[in-house]
Amino acid sequence: QVRLVESGGALVQPGGSLRLSCAASGIIFSVDAMGWYRQAPGKERELVAGITGITSGGITNYADSVKGRFTISRDNAKNTVYLQMNSLKPDDTAVYYCNTYPPMLSGWGQGTQVTVSS
């Protein structure tokens, strides 16, 4: 079955950086488009960044709120997708999830908590 396990979340000061990782199994990882999503308290889950699969050239896209600060990448040999987050702001505080794009209901994991606070 599908299993997506996120890691790398932490408490970080404004302006800091974090790198999130997501290990995938149960999907044809290299082909599937993948995305990083986040859900802040009291808000709906939103797509933060996406990356297409190997057959589509690994094209990336970002939410306007993170453009220029976040970078999504993937290592198809390791079935892992990453999210490099720089210049973090308090508004980036959320639980971050990875999933396919579009997301599979069975793909939602526990997520990883990112808290940006001084």
Side-chain angles (χ1 to χ4, degrees):
Q1 71 268 22
V2 177
R3 188 162 187 249
L4 299 166
V5 180
E6 303 92 346
S7 63
L11 170 63
V12 63
Q13 292 188 343
S17 297
L18 281 176
R19 188 194 197 204
L20 306 183
S21 299
C22 171
S25 60
I27 59 175
I28 306 175
F29 181 80
S30 62
V31 174
D32 285 330
M34 298 297 297
W36 279 99
Y37 304 78
R38 69 184 180 187
Q39 187 166 21
K43 295 187 178 180
E44 292 188 357
R45 192 174 296 174
E46 63 173 346
L47 176 68
V48 173
I51 184 167
T52 62
I54 192 170
T55 58
S56 302
I59 298 170
T60 59
N61 68 285
Y62 300 93
D64 287 343
S65 58
V66 306
K67 275 181 185 175
R69 301 188 298 122
F70 290 11
T71 302
I72 187 171
S73 62
R74 63 192 300 160
D75 185 335
N76 291 324
K78 295 182 178 179
N79 281 13
T80 301
V81 61
Y82 304 98
L83 186 67
Q84 178 67 43
M85 306 187 294
N86 299 327
S87 303
L88 282 161
K89 306 175 181 179
D91 283 349
D92 295 318
T93 295
V95 179
Y96 284 72
Y97 304 86
C98 72
N99 204 330
T100 56
Y101 181 78
M104 297 184 295
L105 284 177
S106 59
W108 296 115
Q110 295 298 311
T112 187
Q113 176 71 48
V114 172
T115 303
V116 185
S117 175
S118 54

